[in-house]
Amino acid sequence: LKKPELRQNLVTRQWVIISPQRANRPHDFEKKENKKETLPRYSPKCPFCRGNEKWEGSAEVLRIGDKKNWRVRVIPNKYPVLLKEGVREWQVSGIKRKMTGIGIHEVIIESPWHNLSPALFSQQQIIYILQAYKKRFREIAQDKRLEQIIIFKNHGEAAGTSLIHPHSQLVATPIVPYQIRFRYEEAERYFDNTGRCVFCQILAEELSAGERIITQNKHFVSFVPYAALSPYHIWIFPKVHACSFQNITLSEIKDLASILKDILARLYFGLDNPAYNYIIRSSPLDISQSDCFHWYISIVARVTKSAGFELGSGMFVNPLPPEESAKFLRNVKLD
Amino acid sequence: LKKPELRQNLVTRQWVIISPQRANRPHDFEKKENKKETLPRYSPKCPFCRGNEKWEGSAEVLRIGDKKNWRVRVIPNKYPVLLKEGVREWQVSGIKRKMTGIGIHEVIIESPWHNLSPALFSQQQIIYILQAYKKRFREIAQDKRLEQIIIFKNHGEAAGTSLIHPHSQLVATPIVPYQIRFRYEEAERYFDNTGRCVFCQILAEELSAGERIITQNKHFVSFVPYAALSPYHIWIFPKVHACSFQNITLSEIKDLASILKDILARLYFGLDNPAYNYIIRSSPLDISQSDCFHWYISIVARVTKSAGFELGSGMFVNPLPPEESAKFLRNVKLD
């Protein structure tokens, strides 16, 4: 594949330009993430470190492990994007449509240690993290003012992290964000036309093609999407149809932890600790059962930068063919 | 305004979280764009500098000024995202939808000088640039294989520039990107419901409210959108309804150059030369007349970073209320 081609993401209807001829263009700039291991294991200035639990604003809402030797803690975000207290109120006047900024914003502290890269966590540690995600998701889902829960992680400065200590975040919003509503509508349309879940269909075809698969186990498959928006863009799909993350079982959590650990290690060792984001995409809260929507995890390594073209068109340019991304990741040597 | 609120962008149906309580959160990182004036006026290694016109791949498609003392040049991008030659062909097989990667990708070299910031260009220089945009737009619009032209600029590393010499870019695509199609559909819906162009309506209400206006002249208005997606996000609207940039007149170009120079200078002096993108949003090429769509320019200063939450939800978090962004920009002292 030397010539560019456009590929459509069936889930979002977005066209991506796969553009391998761009891969070697020159740059005036260069940048690299630092490895965390050069940092101290404990930082007296870090509100997330074990030993600093009394820090202002770090009163926990959930803890896994005992008080002193905790493994994972969940605390409110000290600078929340939305505030917990209040009622959901609309106000419409001419072109101005607004709503009170209520919601939940929490931080999942993934480790007691300041300097441990998530790629080096034990599988058990990742199980704890996923259990914390599930518990908070289920509890917050009870709040009738809220419509969507987004769990995500920013790793590395280029991925938008402001603090170094490994953590992920949960935001619950009083509306269904349009990206999610749009995906849902597309999935419904696909179901109307074919009687199948578009995600199940993608899964079946990817497993049968094989060339974009990275790894799989009993409950999960990781692969590079056919219309990957950037190099090393990865989807992790549960094999059994389910629309919401909140119903994940313990045996599924174990398999997910195993595949997530594997993928983060492939990124870490294969690409020298790149910045990345991951997001759990789950159905809106008022949909508890759906034949057309399928929850999944999307991982985006921040190895290219979006610029004016992406901003102006909503199209991404991916210089690395997805098949090559997958092959590279499959071949990373893990010890 | 201390409490967060959600505001809806009427053009995109996107909700933005206006979140002033986030403004002062701490960061482990800090960064600043360098000023170009510390760089040399001429770089022997830069394919865009005056004197280096014979550089491989810099055969010009348009020049403004004479051969030696040119003011603006347009050349093909040496690493195009899409290739000029070929036919538009679809291929659909199961979940795989693809299309040949044909299109146009050009670079508009905005100045002969390597180190001049666009904010410091003369108004005449910006007129030349806009004239080059218009000429290339009109010529490329004749190509029946193409459906959309996007003109954009990346200024500064954080905005995705790979080369320092001031330049903007034009990309013509064989499909209408979904962001643009979606905006168009929203505008049609608004027109169906109200009999008015949503952009004309926004313009009328913004002019009457005044608090988000930055500056205006006979033909153009610059303002911070009600649901600005980030601090100092700016829209420049033509006052008279027109759906496509390609029909801009010379007297309009003069006014646009004046307002663009003014805005770029406000960013440069007020925010110490931030990275930014600007994009000309114009109607799809097969629509030459439309009562519902209105072309405009969107300028996004890269002073905050999008991260997992934005990626996962499509929602932006803006810590600076749009009214305060506008006030700040109005008050910048321009000698």
Side-chain angles (χ1 to χ4, degrees), chain A residues 5-118:
Chain A
E5 63 184 32
L6 276 74
R7 295 187 181 186
Q8 193 176 34
N9 181 328
L10 221 59
V11 176
T12 61
R13 225 169 67 190
Q14 244 175 316
W15 287 96
V16 174
I17 303 178
I18 309 289
S19 163
Q21 77 289 1
R22 290 268 289 175
N24 297 319
R25 77 200 161 108
H27 283 265
D28 282 349
F29 307 102
E30 235 178 72
K31 213 177 357 183
K32 226 167 162 350
E33 281 303 316
N34 289 320
K35 298 223 174 179
K36 283 185 201 266
E37 293 84 86
T38 58
L39 296 167
R41 184 174 158 98
Y42 166 78
S43 163
K45 290 188 173 175
C46 174
F48 300 164
C49 275
R50 188 185 277 173
N52 300 346
E53 295 82 5
K54 306 227 158 155
W55 209 275
E56 181 210 341
S58 68
E60 69 198 18
V61 293
L62 177 71
R63 184 185 64 239
I64 294 187
D66 63 40
K67 201 151 186 177
K68 261 201 169 158
N69 291 304
W70 57 268
R71 306 300 296 267
V72 171
R73 291 176 78 230
V74 181
I75 61 173
N77 191 307
K78 196 182 163 192
Y79 301 90
V81 299
L82 297 165
L83 298 184
K84 196 174 173 185
E85 307 303 331
V87 287
R88 188 172 70 152
E89 275 173 345
W90 287 68
Q91 213 181 303
V92 175
S93 148
I95 61 155
K96 295 187 287 183
R97 294 182 192 167
K98 69 178 181 184
M99 185 190 282
T100 43
I102 56 146
I104 306 281
H105 190 174
E106 294 180 347
V107 174
I108 297 94
I109 305 171
E110 299 171 348
S111 161
W113 315 125
H114 193 66
N115 67 341
L116 194 58
S117 243

Side-chain angles (χ1 to χ4, degrees), chain B residues 140-191:
Chain B
I140 292 166
Q142 301 306 312
D143 188 332
K144 296 292 174 218
R145 303 170 307 162
L146 303 175
E147 295 201 353
Q148 186 72 45
I149 293 174
I150 299 137
I151 293 172
F152 61 97
K153 177 172 174 65
N154 307 331
H155 173 80
E157 191 192 353
T161 313
S162 56
L163 297 172
I164 283 164
H165 193 115
H167 66 284
S168 33
Q169 297 177 70
L170 179 155
V171 173
T173 59
I175 46 105
V176 180
Y178 94 116
Q179 274 210 9
I180 294 163
R181 183 182 291 176
F182 189 74
R183 275 179 174 72
Y184 198 88
E185 287 169 0
E186 280 305 305
E188 279 186 318
R189 191 178 328 213
Y190 191 90
F191 194 87

Side-chain angles (χ1 to χ4, degrees), chain B residues 244-263:
Chain B
S244 174
F245 170 74
Q246 70 177 307
N247 300 319
I248 191 171
T249 65
L250 181 58
S251 72
E252 286 169 340
I253 281 184
K254 285 178 181 168
D255 266 14
L256 180 56
S258 155
I259 213 161
L260 194 56
K261 177 176 165 56
D262 178 275
I263 288 295

Side-chain angles (χ1 to χ4, degrees), chain B residues 215-274:
Chain B
T215 135
Q216 57 171 311
N217 55 31
K218 188 177 165 204
H219 292 297
F220 289 90
V221 187
S222 67
F223 62 102
V224 177
Y226 172 72
L229 57 88
S230 56
Y232 318 111
H233 178 200
I234 298 162
W235 280 352
I236 300 178
F237 276 24
K239 284 186 181 171
V240 173
H241 181 84
C243 74
S244 174
F245 170 74
Q246 70 177 307
N247 300 319
I248 191 171
T249 65
L250 181 58
S251 72
E252 286 169 340
I253 281 184
K254 285 178 181 168
D255 266 14
L256 180 56
S258 155
I259 213 161
L260 194 56
K261 177 176 165 56
D262 178 275
I263 288 295
L264 296 182
R266 284 173 198 277
L267 291 173
Y268 184 88
F269 292 109
L271 298 169
D272 203 11
N273 193 24

Side-chain angles (χ1 to χ4, degrees), chain B residues 124-142:
Chain B
Q124 185 56 53
Q125 187 66 28
I126 300 181
I127 291 174
Y128 291 144
I129 295 165
L130 295 173
Q131 285 177 317
Y133 288 172
K134 179 183 172 182
K135 279 191 184 157
R136 293 309 301 148
F137 195 118
R138 292 180 73 92
E139 190 169 320
I140 292 166
Q142 301 306 312

Side-chain angles (χ1 to χ4, degrees), chain A residues 21-22 79-80 99 154 308, chain B residues 6 21-22 79-80 99 154 308:
Chain A
Q21 77 289 1
R22 290 268 289 175
Y79 301 90
M99 185 190 282
N154 307 330
Chain B
L6 277 75
Q21 79 287 0
R22 289 267 290 174
Y79 301 89
M99 184 190 281
N154 307 331

